[in-house]
Every structure is written in structure tokens, then in C-alpha cells.
Amino acid sequence: MDDVKKRDEGRVSASVRYSRIVYVIIAAIFTVCVLIQTFFAGIATFVDAGDWDLHRDFVPYFQFLPIVMLLLAFLGRLPAVMRWQSGGLFLLIALQFITAHMGDISPDIQVTAALHPVIA
């Protein structure tokens, strides 16, 4: 991001700068949410299996942050790689939902649910 800053220094509007700042803040929040989500999975695995609700119920609070990041990446005129990464994060969350529910779809493909922690 420093290269972008140097290249555009003095030439970007306030809205572009604001979008970039908000992008970084939301990316940090998303990272913390993923760490919390992993912690909740650890609690359910190693402490009390009844706590899977924590893991399951926390996702809606941050699942759409990558979409917001994608929009901010465009508004902030960030490099294409950052746009792709933001979209990729949302795709990974979608794959998390899909793999978590593979056993519900068909017992024959239940083994693909093992991809859930791998994708995380």
C-alpha cells in the first residue's frame, strides 16, 4: 500500500484517501473476527462441544466485510490484486458455508465437509 501512496501522493481526492483508510480498518476487523471464529471452534473442540453455537452464530457478524472491502478497493483505486483478494475472501466464506453443510446435502459427499477447517 506504500507504493500506492507514493504514486498517488498529492493527486488523490479526500474520498479516495478515506476509502483506503476505511479499507485498512475493515481488513483489520475482519482479521480479528477470523481469529475469534477460530478461537470459538477451539473452545467447541477442546472445552465443550455445546459451544459450537458460538462458532456458528458469530459468522453473520462479519461474513459480508469482504464485500465492503471489495467496494472500498474500487473506491480507493487500490491495485487489482487487492480487489481480487477481497473477492477471494468472500468466496472462501461461501465455501465455508457449503462445506459445513455437505453432510446435510447427501451422506455420500459428507467427507467433503472435512475441507471446512482446511479452507479456514
Side-chain angles (χ1 to χ4, degrees), residues 15-88:
S15 63
V16 169
R17 280 194 303 269
Y18 175 74
S19 296
R20 291 175 181 178
I21 291 167
V22 175
Y23 178 94
V24 170
I25 291 168
I26 291 178
I29 291 169
F30 181 78
T31 301
V32 170
C33 287
V34 169
L35 292 172
I36 292 169
Q37 183 70 346
T38 305
F39 178 71
F40 286 160
I43 288 174
T45 302
F46 298 108
V47 179
D48 183 3
D51 286 331
W52 279 114
D53 291 347
L54 288 171
H55 179 73
R56 184 195 66 229
D57 295 342
F58 185 60
V59 175
Y61 293 106
F62 69 94
Q63 66 187 356
F64 294 110
L65 289 180
I67 295 295
V68 175
M69 291 169 56
L70 180 61
L71 295 172
L72 289 168
F74 277 99
L75 293 172
R77 298 185 194 146
L78 294 173
V81 68
M82 294 179 84
R83 296 175 194 164
W84 280 105
Q85 288 172 341
S86 299

Side-chain angles (χ1 to χ4, degrees), residues 94-116:
L95 287 172
Q96 287 293 92
F97 277 107
I98 292 167
T99 57
H101 297 287
M102 288 304 241
D104 299 341
I105 297 169
S106 169
D108 296 334
I109 58 172
Q110 192 171 18
V111 71
T112 58
L115 291 173
H116 183 80

